[in-house]
Amino acid sequence: MSRWQSVPDPELDERLAAEIRGLAHGARLPDDWSHTELLPAVSSRIRAESRRSSPSRVAALAGIVGTIGLVAVIAAVVVSRLPGSWPGGPYGEARHGDFVLTISAAKPDYVAGEPIDVEASFGYDGPEDSVELSTSHPITSFSVREVDGALEMVGDIPGVCMLSELDRHQPLRRPFTKMGGWSRDDPNADFYDQWWRDPVFRLPAGVWEIVVHSEFHLGPGCAGERVTMEASIRLTIDEPDATERPTPGAQAPSPHPSLVPVPTQEPPLPSPSPSHTEQPPTVGNIRPIPPGPLGPRAAHSAVWTGSEMIVWGGTPGNDNVPVADGAAFDPATDSWRLIAAAPLVPRARHSAVWSGSEMIVWGGSAGPDGPSNGALADGAAYDPAADTWRAIADAPDARLSHSAVWTGSEMIVWGGWKRSDTAAADGFAYDPRSDTWRALPALPVAARAGHSAVWTGDTMTIWGGSGFGPANDFADGAIYDPADDSGTSLGLDNLGPRAGHSAVWTGERMIIWGGGRSRPLAGLPFGDGAAYQPVGDSWWSISLVPAPGRFSHSAVWTGREMLVFGGRVDSSSLPADDGFAYDPEALHDCADLHDLPPVSDDSNLDRENELAEIAFRDFQVVRIRYTDAACQTHPFLGPYIEMLLED
Amino acid sequence: MDRELLLRARAGDVEAFESIVLAKGESLFRTALAILGNEADARDAVQETLVRSWRSMASLRDPDRFDAWIGRSLINQCRDVLRRRGRVRDVALTDGRAHSPSLDGESAELREAFARLSVDQRSLLVLHHLHGYGVREIGAWLGVPAGTVKWRLSRARHALRVQLERGQ
């Protein structure tokens, strides 16, 4: 492929500098433009925002109006809305010191089965630039109570203690999220089963109270002052109009007398099944992987043996309880087979590598029933040829959410959580021939977990992840060279910080995909990624549109495709039980590439094979055979290819 | 930039931030104009940059790096402006440019070629040639390593040459 080369051209540089100066000063601005035009435009907006959100201004106003006016001012604070809440809809707020918790809905009345828009906001308005909070629960969780009935969906799932940093006047917003559970013994268990599995927030007819809770400790370590807050709103859910009733059989029957039919225009009530991500067929380099015999799965491991992808362990539900089963997927036949039971306790957030003859599983978390520090130090090796397992020596330390790569002779594990509040920046190497471990030095990057790692042939490249502390998610990485035990840091552009993503090595590039922000209330997982090529230290942004984002999934490289399996598409649904295969080398049909002018950056020609690798406006890189008629006559590609060929 | 002013603005002092707007506004506008090639777009980008900077002043950790911090925001806004207007490669050179001096043939070709570069490439070249920044300073503005800036600068120059040759 051709590569750009830098050719010094002082004369062109000089002309260009003059032109750019001409461009910058081409507009005649009035002398007092900043005062008369820019400042009024900016000031009107920032002063309006400042009035809405600054408690110091409210306090100052309270001082001016005196004791009589104080009640009115406080009332005004209670009903004032943080930016982003819906005007006109119900609104609730709670305050504790400098913390504000709000909840709002788009409107007060909904129809049974209609999706309900509710958002919570948790902010800090105190004097510090930011505050540190720690919590073993989500910072906010939602509950729903039937005002005149017995139904109550209580949200809350304990986890490991995590530190978050909250910036002043930068409230964290979170749309209504289901995170909780129910008891099988409950007389309304059938209703709860349906409701919790429904990815859409909707309710049967009645009056409902929607509550947002916040529980956290001031400072790190979940040891400081514990604060709990609660704000709520009420919504009225009406019976649907008879004319909007669905046709018979169009939805699941209601297990609860108060659950009315769902209008046909809306998605059907949930079926008790895992999330399947939609795989629209656009640009031809994505194909679906069918659900396997394991069911939903997240925080599992996967390796590529040369002919099969073996998936093992992980969590099938939303309760963080792991399992110890596994299955192998053969992409040649699109079929799955179960593998033998492992001599290991169930676990998730562990690692697995393929040594050439065995899958080595190590570390991880045994879930709520595991050791108190949460991490495991044992492992086992699986031989697919014999369908048998053998135990391996315990490592010197335990880890979870770490990374592991196979170097050709050793398994290197790096980073991860040592305990629930301590991430690591070092690792160990395991030699299966001697069944021994050796310690490795720390790399020149921040300690982290939930990162990715690939072996590039002679070095290990780690990237992303999250740490314990204000730094939170990372968008940097490091390269470790075992030949001399050296490490170098790795910068990154094009891709935002994330954890719970995947990375594979194609032989030429590292493809990073998916993941999400680990900070609480951070939203849905990413559906984008990037390809990093060590030669030239270059990055390509990639977007696997239309595959929806996932986190806590697995990915392996088959030599031709990246197989993505399981993971979560949001934090409330069950994990996915399916996956997709992404072929970055797949040739796209130019006739399918609509309305996407190519960008002139990151484009390459392979003249020998008549292939062009072109970055588009959304930075998705596609490969085409540029001699195809549809490419040459494409309104954007035609002239662009011509330009490239002239180069 | 006056450090005391920045600290006050970071603490929520609107008047202090307005002083920053007066001090920085025109420079930001000139930079945006060179990148976008359109006065209306440049005004939009600068206004939005300043309002967003006010909202996130609390996240400014190091006041000494304010120029790079707000500069990065400006580049992002320039990208957003173009994205919203649906113009990525072709920037109309005459839009809002009624006061532009007439250009000779060579100058017009160069300006046309420059306008056909991606917004990121134009940003790099503007930072380098308008402000005289080196690769480290540009890296700070863009939030990327100096090596990446060097590589991108060379590609931007190459792309400019390709456009110039194409126009001849």
Side-chain angles (χ1 to χ4, degrees):
Chain A
M1 288 191 179
S2 67
R3 296 282 172 202
W4 308 132
Q5 291 180 347
S6 176
V7 181
D9 189 343
E11 188 195 342
L12 177 61
D13 276 359
E14 201 173 308
R15 284 175 54 208
L16 180 62
E19 283 305 325
I20 288 175
R21 283 194 295 271
L23 278 170
H25 296 278
R28 286 187 202 145
L29 292 179
D31 289 342
D32 56 353
W33 173 77
S34 294
H35 280 90
T36 58
E37 189 180 321
L38 179 64
L39 185 62
V42 173
S43 287
S44 63
R45 291 175 64 186
I46 66 175
R47 283 181 178 269
E49 291 184 10
S50 180
R51 276 194 296 274
R52 278 204 301 269
S53 61
S54 171
S56 61
R57 287 184 169 272
V58 172
L61 184 56
I64 293 167
V65 299
T67 309
I68 296 174
L70 189 59
V71 173
V73 171
I74 290 173
V77 170
V78 170
V79 299
S80 69
R81 293 158 187 278
L82 288 172
S85 63
W86 285 281
Y91 176 81
E93 181 181 281
R95 282 184 175 260
H96 179 98
D98 297 322
F99 296 99
V100 189
L101 179 68
T102 76
I103 183 169
S104 58
K107 55 184 183 176
D109 301 304
Y110 286 82
V111 175
E114 179 184 2
I116 299 168
D117 299 313
V118 167
E119 183 187 79
S121 165
F122 176 68
Y124 167 69
D125 290 345
E128 305 298 326
D129 288 344
S130 62
V131 288
E132 288 185 343
L133 310 172
S134 55
T135 176
S136 56
H137 302 253
I139 283 190
T140 57
S141 61
F142 295 90
S143 292
V144 182
R145 298 171 188 146
E146 195 178 25
V147 172
D148 296 318
L151 292 173
E152 183 172 11
M153 290 76 92
V154 180
D156 193 13
I157 288 185
V160 294
C161 179
M162 295 290 291
L163 183 67
S164 294
E165 186 182 38
L166 189 61
D167 292 332
R168 182 166 54 98
H169 296 171
Q170 299 289 322
L172 301 171
R173 297 197 176 89
R174 187 186 199 192
F176 183 91
T177 305
K178 293 179 183 177
M179 191 177 289
W182 71 98
S183 167
R184 291 281 178 201
D185 300 333
D186 193 290
N188 293 312
D190 287 344
F191 170 84
Y192 292 139
D193 184 80
Q194 261 195 347
W195 189 86
W196 281 104
R197 289 175 189 279
D198 187 353
V200 178
F201 176 35
R202 49 190 154 194
L203 292 165
V207 179
W208 295 82
E209 186 175 34
I210 319 299
V211 185
V212 60
H213 316 266
S214 184
E215 179 179 333
F216 56 91
H217 297 262
L218 298 177
C222 291
E225 179 192 346
R226 180 169 167 269
V227 177
T228 59
M229 301 170 70
E230 191 172 295
S232 65
I233 53 175
R234 282 196 178 190
L235 299 179
T236 300
I237 313 296
D238 299 320
E239 298 279 357
D241 189 299
T243 59
E244 295 178 359
R245 295 266 173 138
T247 53
Q251 89 258 340
S254 166
H256 186 270
S258 64
L259 192 63
V260 299
V262 181
T264 50
Q265 289 82 355
E266 301 302 339
L269 270 177
S271 58
S273 60
S275 54
H276 294 280
T277 56
E278 294 179 6
Q279 306 290 348
T282 50
V283 283
N285 55 355
I286 298 267
R287 67 182 178 85
I289 291 175
L294 301 178
R297 202 54 57 102
H300 53 287
S301 61
V303 299
W304 176 250
T305 69
S307 59
E308 290 180 318
M309 171 178 70
I310 304 179
V311 174
W312 190 84
T315 57
N318 285 336
D319 51 7
N320 285 333
V321 176
V323 291
D325 57 355
F329 172 70
D330 181 351
T333 59
D334 253 9
S335 60
W336 289 85
R337 67 176 177 86
L338 288 168
I339 67 170
L344 292 170
V345 297
R347 64 192 64 202
R349 301 161 75 185
H350 55 286
S351 62
V353 299
W354 177 248
S355 72
S357 58
E358 292 178 317
M359 172 177 73
I360 304 174
V361 172
W362 182 79
S365 163
D369 298 329
S372 58
N373 70 359
L376 299 165
D378 65 340
Y382 170 70
D383 177 357
D387 197 24
T388 57
W389 290 81
R390 67 178 177 85
I392 66 169
D394 285 359
D397 197 4
R399 299 285 167 89
L400 65 91
S401 294
H402 54 285
S403 61
V405 298
W406 177 253
T407 69
S409 58
E410 289 180 317
M411 172 176 74
I412 297 178
V413 299
W414 189 88
W417 298 109
K418 299 167 78 164
R419 295 184 299 277
S420 60
D421 60 352
T422 307
D426 60 359
F428 304 95
Y430 171 71
D431 183 347
R433 290 166 302 183
S434 60
D435 198 24
T436 57
W437 293 81
R438 64 185 176 89
L440 299 176
L443 290 181
V445 288
R448 64 191 66 198
H451 55 284
S452 60
V454 297
W455 181 252
T456 64
D458 49 11
T459 58
M460 174 179 75
T461 299
I462 66 122
W463 187 83
S466 59
F468 186 83
N472 237 314
D473 298 330
F474 299 109
D476 65 350
I479 298 172
Y480 168 67
D481 186 348
D484 56 4
D485 256 0
S486 65
T488 52
S489 59
L490 172 70
L492 169 64
D493 47 69
N494 289 342
L495 198 59
R498 63 189 65 200
H501 55 283
S502 59
V504 297
W505 177 249
T506 69
E508 186 186 13
R509 298 170 186 172
M510 172 174 71
I511 298 178
I512 294 170
W513 185 78
R517 298 301 302 266
S518 61
R519 190 173 180 158
L521 317 183
L524 294 173
F526 299 118
D528 64 346
Y532 171 68
Q533 183 168 290
V535 177
D537 187 27
S538 55
W539 287 89
W540 282 260
S541 290
I542 59 171
S543 169
L544 299 188
V545 176
R550 300 184 183 210
F551 67 98
S552 293
H553 57 284
S554 62
V556 298
W557 179 251
T558 68
R560 190 177 66 86
E561 292 177 315
M562 178 172 78
L563 304 182
V564 171
F565 180 76
R568 296 179 184 277
V569 295
D570 60 52
S571 57
S572 57
S573 304
L574 283 179
D577 64 354
D578 61 354
F580 63 86
Y582 166 63
D583 179 359
E585 301 291 310
L587 293 184
H588 294 282
D589 185 348
C590 290
D592 292 336
L593 300 171
H594 301 294
D595 303 327
L596 288 173
V599 296
S600 57
D601 206 13
D602 295 335
S603 299
N604 284 306
L605 280 182
D606 176 358
R607 291 171 189 268
E608 189 179 337
N609 296 302
E610 297 181 337
L611 299 176
E613 188 174 52
I614 294 174
F616 275 74
R617 178 170 151 186
D618 62 351
F619 298 107
Q620 177 170 244
V621 175
V622 300
R623 284 166 62 88
I624 57 168
R625 191 175 301 285
Y626 57 75
T627 48
D628 287 351
C631 300
Q632 293 191 326
T633 57
H634 190 282
F636 292 114
L637 285 176
Y640 188 67
I641 290 168
E642 189 184 330
M643 185 192 84
L644 286 176
L645 290 171
E646 284 173 359
D647 175 32
Chain B
M1 197 75 235
D2 185 336
R3 186 181 171 82
E4 179 60 29
L5 208 56
L6 288 167
L7 291 175
R8 280 172 45 207
R10 194 174 68 174
D13 184 333
V14 176
E15 287 79 13
F17 189 80
E18 287 171 340
S19 298
I20 294 171
V21 171
L22 291 175
K24 286 284 167 193
E26 184 166 344
S27 168
L28 291 171
F29 172 77
R30 301 286 179 199
T31 304
L33 182 58
I35 293 170
L36 296 169
N38 178 287
E39 280 187 39
D41 285 350
R43 285 167 204 259
D44 285 353
V46 172
Q47 267 191 37
E48 202 58 34
T49 297
L50 289 166
V51 171
R52 285 174 186 241
S53 298
W54 163 251
R55 288 179 190 150
S56 54
M57 273 302 283
S59 67
L60 174 65
R61 301 275 172 219
D62 182 359
D64 293 336
R65 295 173 61 79
F66 175 76
D67 283 350
W69 183 78
I70 199 167
R72 192 154 55 235
S73 176
L74 180 73
I75 304 289
N76 287 334
Q77 286 309 314
C78 289
R79 280 198 201 100
D80 284 353
V81 164
L82 287 186
R83 196 175 298 131
R84 282 200 301 274
R85 306 261 164 120
R87 289 183 277 126
V88 171
R89 296 186 62 222
D90 298 318
V91 175
L93 290 168
T94 53
D95 287 355
R97 201 167 274 292
H99 305 297
S100 292
S102 59
L103 301 170
D104 60 35
E106 269 198 353
S107 188
E109 279 175 9
L110 184 56
R111 197 167 280 197
E112 290 245 11
F114 178 74
R116 285 202 193 92
L117 300 182
S118 70
V119 67
D120 288 338
Q121 289 173 331
R122 276 181 272 153
S123 302
L124 276 173
L125 293 170
V126 167
L127 293 178
H128 186 58
H129 290 296
L130 182 64
H131 296 289
Y133 289 159
V135 290
R136 289 196 182 282
E137 288 163 302
I138 296 174
W141 269 60
L142 302 179
V144 300
T148 303
V149 172
K150 200 180 291 182
W151 178 65
R152 286 183 176 179
L153 262 176
S154 72
R155 296 186 66 172
R157 287 195 187 101
H158 174 90
L160 187 71
R161 275 196 295 273
V162 169
Q163 293 293 345
L164 280 172
E165 288 161 11
R166 193 173 146 68
Q168 284 173 353

